[in-house]
Amino acid sequence: MKGYTGRLLRVNLSDGKVSKEAISDSMKENFLGGRGFAIKLLWDEVKHVDPLSEENKIIFSTGPLTGQPLPSSGKMVIASKSPLTGGYGDGNIGTMASVHLRRAGYDVAVVEGKSEKPCYLLIEDDKVQIKDASGLWGKSTFECQDILEERHGKNTGVLLIGPGGENRVRFSVVLSQKGRAGGRPGMGAVMGSKNLKGIVIKGSGTIPVADENKLKAMGKQGYADIMAKGNYEFWKRQGTMQVLDWCHQNACLPTFNFRESVFEHSKQLDGAMLEKIKVDRKGCPLCNMQCGNIVNDASAHPSELDYENVGMLGPNLGMKDLREVALLNRMADELGLDTISLGSCIAFLMEASEKGLIKEKMGWGDFESARKLVADIGRGEGLGKLVAHGVRSAAKEIGRGSEKWAMQVKGLEVSAYNCHACPGMALSFGTSPIGGSHKDAWIISWEISTDRSSYSEDKVKKVIELQRLRGGLFECLTVCRLPWVEVDFGLHWYPEYMEAITGRRFSMEEFDRIGDRVYNLMRAYWIRENGGWDRQADYPPARWFEEAPSSGSLEGVKLDREKYDQMLSWYYELRGWSQQGIPLKETLEQFGLKGVAEELGHNGHV
Ligand code: PTT
Ligand code: SF4
């Protein structure tokens, strides 16, 4: 198939060996790229290893659409066995590194082993070098971005970890371009455990496609189509920040560690407030929707705000000054910490302090304490040590019922949607293939605009439909989903782009089938690495079942455990999984995963 470079780059940091391998046609046909390639490689190569040992591998994976002249195609999946959850982990980052990786002649890069000393990789087409990074170790992602650009040129793709990743904070991320961040389930810690500070990529080639003229023409039409959309102008002004007011209005804003669902100071943090202090915007390569909102933070440094960052570091901590929230956010970017997990960890500590479970005093909205905590978490010092493995682990340590308000699923902290009155979104968090993430099925806007209170089978079907599109199609083609989600860019463009690039027409049903194959393999990976499965792992945090908010339009409402359980049973049935959440043998075989069924079966799981 055209449209792929057809090559995988493998670098072993233990022995310095570099190899280039062919990617088979069946791999392309069955897994497409991005997340599909990543899970196939992890299933085949990363088995029962400690995620922070040299046996783990980290995968930088693009798809057939990545780097092509079409809307929002500058994305890359970064995946590994997660040190935060112990299961499949990935994130999707917008970065010039994705474009340069393809231009350098690779669809995927796999980094394995462990370097003796801090190092970074320099990939210049066929030339791949492991360079000394001792001068970079300990420095922030922003400083290193400048140093590496100065050293290797501005027109390069740079991926970096900060001190958080170096110190193996288990929710540390990979940063690029001073503001793009990806790999929530600890992809930064995996790089840190390999002594890998960063990757610099310079590619000079082109990726041959089946019909270049058609692709160029359709790419142009796609960009124009986006600009003509009714909500394009508003999107440019607020980007994802428009969600904050929506969440407040609909009583699903994470407030005080998800205890409440509205925040009396929300107007000081929302999209309209952002517009007042916004100084610039930026975003990912090849995108005309540039949604990174730049503001000057409380210490007058630029900081890039998205809804999740503000939701989790703002109302969830009781913070009411957007510039102070921006400062915490900038610190997270410099240190390379995921803002969602970070916000959840700080909120957890504030609640623990309020309940007297820790001796340190820190009240809701206490900016100075929050600021100190961010620094301590990044350095793994003081109270930072208690939460450096995430809230699941911290709750185990302090006990006394705190696991009920440790806001996580499978070890990954849930993102910024309070679901005490959103059963569909709760199921989406419960069944996300990386833990408590909204990325696979953001059903909440559909749910609120239809029948919010129902626990219907139709809702379960909608979760699966969204998982196929968002978690399957977009993660495998490896393009940004926001044009479709936010300005209604038609899904019909994607089979068209695929045809112009690869010469092969994929129907939406074929894409769905690939998405389902990938989902089954991700689930099998969790089961294999956990040595079994318990359906309790597919439950959202207990707080949503047991404690209702005390204010707002949905005061007193909480999730119903029995009805959630029924939804989960439907979910398993529709996916062809057992009532323990394990894919049935015939389901795996139907997706060409016979070997996977055998491997799980031998362990008595299927
Ligand atoms: C994503 C998660 C999100 S989801 C946000 S804000 W969002 C947070 N951003 C962080 C940040 O910034 N700094 C930081 N230190 N930590 C952060 N953690 C949080 O990470 C991001 C955009 C956004 S902004 C979203 S919804 C969409 N996500 C996509 C996706 O997952 N897949 C896809 N095909 N397209 C997507 N498009 C959008 O991309 P993770 P980015 Mg991201 C400062 O990384 O691990 O997936 O977690 O990468 O380039 O910053 O783009 O309201
Ligand atoms: Fe990046 Fe935003 Fe554009 Fe998506 S819409 S590619 S996240 S700038």
Side-chain angles (χ1 to χ4, degrees):
M1 246 197 298
K2 286 214 160 157
Y4 290 86
T5 70
R7 291 200 311 172
L8 174 153
L9 172 70
R10 192 183 291 276
V11 180
N12 188 310
L13 297 176
S14 298
D15 58 15
K17 198 169 154 222
V18 174
S19 55
K20 289 135 196 177
E21 298 165 18
I23 298 174
S24 69
D25 281 343
S26 81
M27 179 87 159
K28 296 174 206 159
E29 288 273 346
N30 290 319
F31 294 97
L32 279 183
R35 176 181 257 184
F37 284 177
I39 183 56
K40 177 73 170 102
L41 287 161
L42 286 173
W43 175 267
D44 289 346
E45 301 183 14
V46 179
K47 223 178 265 189
H48 304 307
V49 308
D50 170 352
L52 294 180
S53 70
E54 69 183 292
E55 283 78 36
N56 198 5
K57 304 187 183 190
I58 183 154
I59 296 163
F60 302 87
S61 188
T62 66
L65 269 55
T66 309
Q68 298 292 5
L70 57 92
S72 312
S73 64
K75 289 270 185 184
M76 169 189 271
V77 169
I78 305 181
S80 191
K81 180 170 175 178
S82 160
L84 185 62
T85 67
Y88 174 77
D90 73 12
N92 191 309
I93 185 169
T95 168
M96 274 310 289
S98 65
V99 181
H100 278 288
L101 186 70
R102 297 259 287 165
R103 287 186 189 152
Y106 313 101
D107 297 314
V108 189
V110 179
V111 181
E112 49 195 43
K114 176 182 180 181
S115 166
E116 259 176 39
K117 284 190 270 178
C119 70
Y120 71 96
L121 277 184
L122 177 60
I123 303 170
E124 295 168 296
D125 296 336
D126 269 338
K127 190 172 161 197
V128 179
Q129 301 170 71
I130 302 171
K131 310 276 284 183
D132 178 33
S134 30
L136 302 176
W137 207 251
K139 287 197 163 54
S140 81
T141 59
F142 286 41
E143 278 174 284
C144 292
Q145 178 86 31
D146 288 340
I147 295 171
L148 290 172
E149 278 183 11
E150 185 142 314
R151 211 177 276 174
H152 300 292
K154 269 219 171 296
N155 183 25
T156 50
V158 182
L159 298 166
L160 282 161
I161 60 165
E166 294 170 14
N167 294 324
R168 327 281 202 264
V169 178
R170 298 202 179 192
F171 49 88
S172 49
V173 284
V174 180
L175 262 286
S176 188
Q177 302 169 198
K178 300 186 182 178
R180 316 313 299 166
R184 289 192 57 213
M187 303 303 102
V190 176
M191 279 179 69
S193 71
K194 299 188 172 309
N195 276 329
L196 179 64
K197 180 72 181 175
I199 304 185
V200 179
I201 314 175
K202 284 206 265 190
S204 64
T206 49
I207 310 142
V209 299
D211 190 337
E212 201 170 333
N213 290 335
K214 187 173 168 199
L215 178 63
K216 272 193 189 146
M218 277 191 351
K220 238 175 148 175
Q221 284 167 22
Y223 285 113
D225 189 51
I226 286 174
M227 283 164 71
K229 295 285 184 190
N231 43 355
Y232 178 67
E233 284 309 316
F234 187 58
W235 172 261
K236 281 200 306 185
R237 280 166 33 207
Q238 296 200 358
T240 58
M241 282 289 289
Q242 60 189 267
V243 177
L244 197 135
D245 185 52
W246 180 85
C247 281
H248 174 73
Q249 297 301 336
N250 288 290
C252 55
L253 189 67
T255 308
F256 306 130
N257 197 26
F258 290 86
R259 197 158 64 190
E260 300 296 337
S261 58
V262 293
F263 186 48
E264 60 171 321
H265 305 290
S266 71
K267 288 267 167 277
Q268 284 157 256
L269 299 168
D270 68 10
M273 176 55 82
L274 163 84
E275 285 195 52
K276 289 188 193 142
I277 63 169
K278 185 167 168 174
V279 292
D280 201 358
R281 65 194 186 99
K282 62 179 193 179
C284 312
L286 294 157
C287 177
N288 64 345
M289 288 177 48
Q290 302 290 296
C291 66
N293 296 301
I294 312 294
V295 302
N296 286 326
D297 70 17
S299 64
H301 290 105
S303 173
E304 182 179 327
L305 297 181
D306 288 301
Y307 167 63
E308 300 295 329
N309 311 332
V310 178
M312 295 304 290
L313 295 168
N316 204 40
L317 307 184
M319 306 276 306
K320 52 184 187 220
D321 181 324
L322 191 53
R323 288 188 199 273
E324 289 183 352
V325 172
L327 190 142
L328 301 179
N329 176 68
R330 179 177 162 112
M331 286 176 78
D333 282 351
E334 287 181 324
L335 292 163
L337 300 173
D338 170 45
T339 50
I340 297 174
S341 291
L342 180 68
S344 208
C345 286
I346 299 175
F348 179 86
L349 290 173
M350 285 178 167
E351 186 159 352
S353 170
E354 182 186 54
K355 290 188 156 82
L357 304 188
I358 54 172
K359 64 178 186 325
E360 290 80 357
K361 297 278 170 245
M362 58 191 82
W364 298 108
D366 176 352
F367 170 62
E368 283 311 326
S369 292
R371 184 182 191 164
K372 178 167 182 330
L373 270 176
V374 178
D376 283 353
I377 292 170
R379 285 195 295 262
E381 289 171 1
L383 258 191
K385 259 197 242 153
L386 178 63
V387 290
H389 289 203
V391 293
R392 180 172 66 175
S393 153
K396 253 190 210 142
E397 209 167 317
I398 65 172
R400 291 186 279 173
S402 58
E403 69 285 349
K404 294 194 174 177
W405 37 271
M407 302 306 291
Q408 53 82 29
V409 176
K410 300 182 181 68
L412 182 69
E413 286 71 20
V414 295
S415 22
Y417 304 95
N418 199 340
C419 294
H420 66 100
C422 301
M425 192 65 210
L427 183 71
S428 161
F429 278 132
T431 59
S432 149
I434 60 166
S437 164
H438 63 292
K439 68 188 283 169
D440 284 77
W442 193 67
I443 191 181
I444 193 164
S445 65
W446 179 86
E447 177 168 43
I448 287 177
S449 65
T450 52
D451 185 2
R452 180 166 184 172
S453 59
S454 97
Y455 292 71
S456 66
E457 191 173 359
D458 279 350
K459 239 180 215 183
V460 180
K461 287 184 181 156
K462 187 74 181 175
V463 167
I464 294 177
E465 181 193 321
L466 288 171
Q467 288 179 335
R468 283 183 179 133
L469 290 171
R470 295 167 60 111
L473 178 73
F474 285 101
E475 295 312 308
C476 293
L477 295 180
T478 322
V479 287
C480 182
R481 61 169 187 259
L482 295 186
W484 167 62
V485 178
E486 301 290 352
V487 301
D488 203 20
F489 185 60
L491 281 176
H492 65 88
W493 287 97
Y494 295 99
E496 301 265 356
Y497 286 139
M498 253 321 250
E499 189 173 9
I501 289 168
T502 64
R504 151 109 156 74
R505 180 86 189 177
F506 283 80
S507 63
M508 285 310 280
E509 290 70 33
E510 279 178 282
F511 282 142
D512 281 354
R513 205 173 136 68
I514 293 169
D516 284 349
R517 178 177 297 117
V518 169
Y519 257 71
N520 275 285
L521 194 52
M522 291 190 290
R523 173 53 66 129
Y525 191 77
W526 276 93
I527 294 164
R528 185 183 73 185
E529 299 305 302
N530 271 273
W533 201 250
D534 175 351
R535 69 187 267 148
Q536 288 306 315
D538 295 330
Y539 266 68
R543 165 156 275 170
W544 291 336
F545 294 108
E546 297 179 13
E547 272 179 76
S550 66
S551 60
S553 57
L554 289 163
E555 178 190 337
V557 181
K558 56 188 176 179
L559 286 184
D560 182 309
R561 197 176 281 277
E562 258 175 51
K563 289 182 184 164
Y564 179 86
D565 208 49
Q566 172 63 67
M567 284 177 98
L568 189 59
S569 295
W570 280 323
Y571 179 88
Y572 290 157
E573 240 172 82
L574 288 162
R575 280 235 169 258
W577 297 355
S578 76
Q579 284 305 313
Q580 275 71 50
I582 297 171
L584 298 170
K585 186 163 174 275
E586 55 269 28
T587 306
L588 292 171
E589 284 178 358
Q590 186 200 329
F591 291 110
L593 301 172
K594 192 162 182 272
V596 173
E598 281 164 7
E599 204 174 324
L600 287 188
H602 287 154
N603 294 329
H605 296 312
V606 177

